[in-house]
Amino acid sequence: MLLRAAWRRAAVAVTAATGPKAAAPTRGLRLRVRDLAPQSAVPADTAAVPEAGPVLRPLYMDVQATTPLDPRVLDAMLPYLVNYYGNPHSRTHAYGWESEAAMERARQQVASLIGADPREIIFTSGATESNNIAIKELEAAIQPDTSLVSVMTVNNEIGVKQPIAEIGRICSSRKVYFHTDAAQAVGKIPLDVNDMKIDLMSISGHKIYGPKGVGAVYIRRRPRVRVEALQSGGGQERGMRSGTVPTPLVVGLGAACEVAQQEMEYDHKRISKLAERLIQNIMKSLPDVVMNGDPEHHYPGCINLSFAYVEGESLLMALKDVALSSGSACTSASLEPSYVLRAIGTDEDLAHSSIRFGIGRFTTEEEVDYTVEKCIQHVKRLREMSPLWEMVQDGIDLKSIKWTQH
Amino acid sequence: MAASSRAQVLDLYRAMLRESKRFSAYNYRTYAVRRIRDGFRENKNVKDPVEIQTLVNKAKRDLGIIRRQVHIGQLYSTDKLIIENRDMPRT
């Protein structure tokens, strides 16, 4: 909250101070980012600093929050934003027919990525809506003891992969419905709804280099899984989700799924190498760094590290040239440490010093190296200023200290 | 239609790389150059002419995508990233 307020003040000051410029048109936040002054704190008065060099954007290392559009996805979407603007539910003219054809093609692309039948894919506005539809199924249950297991395929804070196939097998044998929120997993690790006995799955467009505002829910047909519609109206999407299907967005989701299917192996190999590089280089230069999450069952692109004796928010502010997050964006407004870290038994002080590094399809080796360099530099600097660190260096066991009340 | 010769494939490769270097966004530019190099290298030992033609046709479509998206990127370009003026952009 403090961080965001500071950015807002800085943005207003900068845009007020710099007059109309003959620079390239920019709608981005004009940040005063200088990489020449490693010792400087955040500038106190941005309006007074003269324009001495180009304004530069930070590196993007927060792919768990959202991903950029793949150019192939935008290319697929644009015709439907320019000329092919028909409503896919219009049955009586070519505009409707071509839009419907695109929608069904996208449905097939999504289905193919997860081993499903296209009739089992319902388009929604995103994984959140998909989750709500799937979980509301509890209320539509026929038998009084029917229940639902819902598990995230890949956790968005620490990147841990759940044993989906095992859970699916258990649920299937106990006749319990199995839902998984696969937003962070679709297109990144191989998923097959039949091999893994998944009954319901949530898919998010903007986590797989597709557009924001669209997703899908997979609903098994054999054996039939009955869900109740959240949104009623004209009966679109087999009555499970009324509302005009947004053709440009679903075309984007379909294209993103198709690209993901083609690129999964290549991306996974590269991201694994970059993740290894980031972790190794940080850990060999800094002591007392802990990686959160089981390293065996882990998606490489989501790295959550705790830097002991350093406060997470202050490290984030220091790393102002890199877009990062400490834990999940959904909970970033609260002061509480991450519930995920608490659940895996992380000490509370370590939970407050966690940073999440996201590596994706477009991340480069240079970006990883720069992030590592800055991270090491600022952790060292912050630790120098920390009295707790000083005590640890002197051999004092912090757990033995009796803190007095003032 | 005559099958694509080695020279034609190389021409296509060079054209794709040349076009990709014009992406104004650092991440798109580096990805495209890297992916094209890796993609052509991965398939360099393909012998079946039908398969070669399929790959060439896909590459031609991708070249079209790159051309359009490079152009759009330039229309909506913004400031460079913090690492862009530090060293020569490698992939």
Side-chain angles (χ1 to χ4, degrees):
Chain A
M1 319 59 43
L2 291 173
L3 189 59
R4 275 194 285 279
W7 280 140
R8 251 182 262 126
R9 261 181 278 125
V12 167
V14 170
T15 48
T18 61
K21 293 205 65 172
T26 171
R27 295 164 193 77
L29 196 65
R30 294 188 73 85
L31 308 168
R32 267 311 279 152
V33 175
R34 310 192 65 203
D35 59 345
L36 307 167
Q39 245 55 49
S40 67
V42 177
D45 183 343
T46 48
V49 177
E51 191 69 36
V55 174
L56 301 166
R57 289 172 68 74
L59 308 183
Y60 190 72
M61 301 288 289
D62 199 17
V63 285
Q64 279 71 36
T66 193
T67 54
L69 272 186
D70 190 298
R72 290 164 282 199
V73 169
L74 180 58
D75 201 71
M77 290 170 69
L78 278 165
Y80 298 92
L81 290 163
V82 180
N83 292 314
Y84 304 140
Y85 50 78
N87 183 319
H89 314 292
S90 298
R91 320 219 64 161
T92 58
H93 49 70
Y95 288 87
W97 304 329
E98 77 199 350
S99 189
E100 187 190 20
M103 174 179 75
E104 293 309 323
R105 199 163 41 242
R107 203 185 299 277
Q108 173 63 65
Q109 288 165 324
V110 176
S112 160
L113 181 58
I114 60 171
D117 184 286
R119 290 168 295 179
E120 298 173 306
I121 302 292
I122 305 294
F123 288 119
T124 62
S125 65
T128 301
E129 186 188 343
S130 303
N131 286 340
N132 276 277
I133 292 175
I135 289 166
K136 198 156 185 289
E137 191 278 337
L138 265 174
E139 266 131 47
I142 320 160
Q143 289 126 31
D145 56 356
T146 308
S147 58
L148 173 75
V149 165
S150 177
V151 159
M152 264 179 144
T153 322
V154 168
N155 182 276
N156 60 335
E157 291 198 34
I158 57 181
V160 160
K161 296 195 305 202
Q162 298 297 344
I164 295 296
E166 282 89 88
I167 299 174
R169 208 174 20 86
I170 296 170
C171 288
S172 165
S173 65
R174 308 277 182 90
K175 302 267 185 290
V176 164
Y177 291 120
F178 179 34
H179 163 258
T180 182
D181 180 344
Q184 299 285 350
V186 167
K188 304 197 174 115
I189 57 172
L191 291 173
D192 187 297
V193 293
N194 292 313
D195 291 347
M196 297 170 167
K197 301 201 175 4
I198 295 170
D199 296 310
L200 295 147
M201 181 194 281
S202 303
I203 297 166
S204 171
H206 73 111
K207 303 291 167 59
I208 55 172
Y209 313 97
K212 297 168 181 60
V214 69
V217 59
Y218 159 78
I219 302 173
R220 177 173 287 282
R221 289 181 88 236
R222 295 230 176 91
R224 183 161 301 261
V225 175
R226 287 236 317 252
V227 298
E228 196 173 298
L230 274 183
Q231 199 162 301
S232 54
Q236 288 85 3
E237 294 297 276
R238 301 172 181 272
M240 298 204 223
R241 199 268 183 185
S242 294
T244 303
V245 169
T247 307
L249 293 179
V250 305
V251 165
L253 176 61
C257 287
E258 187 169 275
V259 170
Q261 196 165 9
Q262 290 161 4
E263 302 288 350
M264 204 185 307
E265 198 187 318
Y266 178 88
D267 283 348
H268 194 273
K269 232 183 279 184
R270 223 181 59 88
I271 289 172
S272 302
K273 264 195 4 223
L274 289 176
E276 187 66 27
R277 189 183 178 93
L278 185 145
I279 297 170
Q280 289 307 320
N281 287 347
I282 286 182
M283 293 210 168
K284 79 174 186 224
S285 304
L286 289 174
D288 299 304
V289 178
V290 172
M291 181 167 118
N292 297 307
D294 186 344
E296 282 268 321
H297 305 280
H298 183 255
Y299 171 65
C302 175
I303 301 160
N304 191 304
L305 299 177
S306 283
F307 300 90
Y309 319 111
V310 171
E311 217 279 328
E313 290 282 326
S314 56
L315 182 54
L316 276 186
M317 277 185 73
L319 291 171
K320 57 184 169 21
D321 303 344
V322 185
L324 290 165
S325 154
S326 65
S328 124
C330 339
T331 59
S332 60
S334 77
L335 276 174
E336 294 246 333
S338 147
Y339 72 96
V340 174
L341 293 180
R342 205 161 355 116
I344 62 173
T346 307
D347 261 347
E348 189 152 319
D349 46 332
L350 272 186
H352 274 293
S353 27
S354 72
I355 303 282
R356 178 185 68 186
F357 300 87
I359 297 178
R361 179 182 295 161
F362 300 101
T363 310
T364 66
E365 203 175 88
E366 278 71 43
E367 289 176 309
V368 168
D369 289 346
Y370 182 88
T371 303
V372 165
E373 180 193 319
K374 289 291 160 185
C375 185
I376 293 169
Q377 179 192 331
H378 287 289
V379 167
K380 281 187 174 155
R381 190 179 57 84
L382 288 167
R383 279 177 172 169
E384 289 297 307
M385 297 195 293
S386 162
L388 285 181
W389 176 249
E390 214 180 291
M391 290 178 357
V392 166
Q393 298 300 88
D394 290 338
I396 301 172
D397 173 18
L398 294 184
K399 300 243 185 290
S400 67
I401 296 171
K402 291 195 174 41
W403 302 101
T404 55
Q405 304 277 42
H406 289 290
Chain B
M1 174 169 92
S4 291
S5 67
R6 186 171 183 279
Q8 286 172 316
V9 169
L10 282 175
D11 277 346
L12 184 52
Y13 175 66
R14 275 189 287 264
M16 291 180 86
L17 283 182
R18 208 170 35 238
E19 196 61 36
S20 297
K21 288 177 184 162
R22 299 178 55 223
F23 264 116
S24 65
Y26 167 88
N27 293 99
Y28 290 160
R29 187 172 64 241
T30 52
Y31 175 79
V33 169
R34 181 192 331 125
R35 191 67 189 90
I36 290 163
R37 284 205 184 115
D38 290 346
F40 274 77
R41 185 176 309 135
E42 195 183 309
N43 290 316
K44 72 177 182 206
N45 292 321
V46 172
K47 295 281 178 274
D48 173 24
V50 171
E51 201 186 331
I52 292 177
Q53 196 55 48
T54 311
L55 290 167
V56 163
N57 291 341
K58 172 142 202 319
K60 284 184 178 159
R61 282 197 302 274
D62 287 343
L63 177 55
I65 293 175
I66 293 169
R67 286 203 169 112
R68 288 190 291 275
Q69 294 303 314
V70 159
H71 189 62
I72 288 171
Q74 287 166 351
L75 294 172
Y76 287 90
S77 65
T78 184
D79 307 307
K80 291 190 184 303
L81 293 185
I82 187 72
I83 53 171
E84 285 193 68
N85 56 355
R86 271 159 52 110
D87 49 22
M88 285 305 292
R90 302 191 318 270
T91 49

